[in-house]
Amino acid sequence: MPGGGRCPDCGSAELVEDSHYSQSQLVCSDCGCVVTEGVLTTTYSDEGNLREVTYSRSTGENEQVSRSQQRGLRRVRDLCRVLQLPPTFEDTAVAYYQQAYRHSGIRAARLQKKEVLVGCCVLITCRQHNWPLTMGTICTLLYADLDAFSGTYMQIVKLLGLDVPSLCLADLVKTYCSSFKLFQASPSVPAKYVEDKEKMLSRTLQLVELADETWLVTGRHPLPVITAATFLAWQSLRPSDRLTCSLARFCKLANVDLPYPASSRLQELLAVLLRMAEQLAWLQVLKLNKRSVVKHISDLLQHRRTLVRKAFRDGTAEMEAQEEERQGQGQGQGRGKEEGGSSSLDLSEGKRGASPALLLPPCMLKPPKRIRPTPSVSTVTGDENISDSEIEQYLRTPQEVRDFLKAQAARQAAVSVPNPP
């Protein structure tokens, strides 16, 4: 349809109104020059006054993102870039954050929990893509408490109904050990303490697999076990220079925190290695202890599967022999009491604490002590008066009901009879 005005290029008055992607504009039909461009509008008044409006108003999507959510989204993207994650990871983490933020409980949460939520979304994304990342790393970057982080993590997984696979132990070892500052010399790390990264990772993985096969990882936090295994691997590669170094100093040199149970996991790993060393003929004559066995870790790991299987078989046979011995002693005790003699069971009481089989979980090797509740002293003597309402609870048969009603009527009749003068 022709409109008023002329084309600024050719001066033609043949201007027509053209709708291009829902935007009205005037175009010269002679030369094709666009005279006026339309704007995105939402109402008739806006079209009449040619006032520009925002994209959300023009599309009818009036989504208002709060400042808190905008800050959280920026934090998600920043954390992904700090960790150098692929762009697809960033998009997934942002989507999870937006989904979680739609829940009223998350929107009304404190700023500290929303900050933890940022790390949870990133960690969930990495776990789903099999990207090795630990909670400890995220908590260190966000200065977040580990307990608060783990609680929020479980809440978000349940809230969004996500399927999050657990982190592979081998990937966790590689990621955790890569952060150790022991692979190049520095003023804080002497040359004799510097180790090749690949050798250290390979031996650490073997020790962690050994710990897994001997129930030292089951039901426990993996980082203390990995720390102990890394320390033993590092010592065994150059034992002459490193046996005098303690676990605490090792963690200080590596610039990592010392987990509290790592010392206990170290002692358990050394006990396993000693039990394996008992199966090798050329190590039996050396009378190894928990310090000297570190020198022979390479030989023990080379024959790991055979030694563990043999130690387990010998340990099982030992337990069966002890059980038969206890049963025989119990029968002898019974015969001794009948004959009036003393029993030999009391003399062997100290043998009951003998070490059981190797491949038992720690909860069975050292079961927790159960606190037995003290029995409450009963004050019931049986002479207490029982009310009629309570008696009805003990009635079972119709005959008992009739007897009770008859006794109750007789008692009322006796009460109503006046006493003789």
Side-chain angles (χ1 to χ4, degrees), residues 284-343:
Q284 292 177 356
V285 297
L286 298 179
K287 297 180 180 181
L288 301 177
N289 54 29
K290 289 186 176 180
R291 183 174 182 178
S292 57
V293 74
V294 178
K295 301 177 182 179
H296 307 280
I297 285 181
S298 177
D299 294 336
L300 295 175
L301 292 178
Q302 184 179 358
H303 309 283
R304 183 187 78 204
R305 301 188 183 279
T306 303
L307 295 178
V308 169
R309 185 165 54 249
K310 192 173 186 302
F312 174 57
R313 183 173 59 248
D314 294 348
T316 305
E318 181 183 349
M319 288 189 64
E320 292 176 353
Q322 291 177 4
E323 186 65 26
E324 293 176 358
E325 183 181 356
R326 292 194 195 102
Q327 293 177 359
Q329 290 172 351
Q331 294 175 359
Q333 182 187 18
R335 289 194 299 268
K337 287 184 177 179
E338 292 176 358
E339 297 172 0
S342 61
S343 171

Side-chain angles (χ1 to χ4, degrees), residues 337-351:
K337 287 184 177 179
E338 292 176 358
E339 297 172 0
S342 61
S343 171
S344 61
L345 183 62
D346 298 334
L347 300 177
S348 63
E349 194 70 28
K351 294 183 180 180

Side-chain angles (χ1 to χ4, degrees), residues 16 53 122 164 236 256 269 293 314 320 355 402:
V16 296
V53 294
V122 176
V164 184
S236 64
V256 295
L269 262 175
V293 74
D314 294 348
E320 292 176 353
S355 59
R402 289 193 295 269

Side-chain angles (χ1 to χ4, degrees), residues 26-81:
L26 293 178
V27 181
C28 178
S29 60
D30 292 337
C31 66
C33 175
V34 178
V35 180
T36 60
E37 295 185 18
V39 294
L40 292 174
T41 58
T42 54
T43 63
Y44 182 78
S45 59
D46 289 332
E47 291 183 5
N49 298 317
L50 297 180
R51 290 185 300 190
E52 296 182 356
V53 294
T54 60
Y55 173 77
S56 60
R57 288 180 57 195
S58 65
T59 56
E61 299 178 1
N62 191 13
E63 295 180 356
Q64 295 183 355
V65 180
S66 63
R67 292 184 178 179
S68 177
Q69 185 177 357
Q70 291 177 0
R71 181 179 182 276
L73 294 174
R74 286 196 301 269
R75 292 285 288 168
V76 170
R77 295 188 179 95
D78 292 343
L79 185 59
C80 291
R81 290 163 188 170

Side-chain angles (χ1 to χ4, degrees), residues 14 40 148 184 217 241 250 267 291 324 399 416 420:
E14 296 295 323
L40 292 174
Q184 56 183 358
V217 182
D241 295 329
F250 167 77
Q267 297 302 318
R291 183 174 182 178
E324 293 176 358
Q399 182 62 35
S416 62

Side-chain angles (χ1 to χ4, degrees), residues 10 14 25 50 68-69 72 76-77 121 158 160 179 213-214 225 258 260 351 357 360 367 407:
C10 65
E14 296 295 323
Q25 54 190 8
L50 297 180
S68 177
Q69 185 177 357
V76 170
R77 295 188 179 95
C121 295
K158 184 178 180 181
L160 301 182
S179 62
E213 293 171 355
T214 52
V225 180
L258 174 61
Y260 170 69
K351 294 183 180 180
L360 286 178

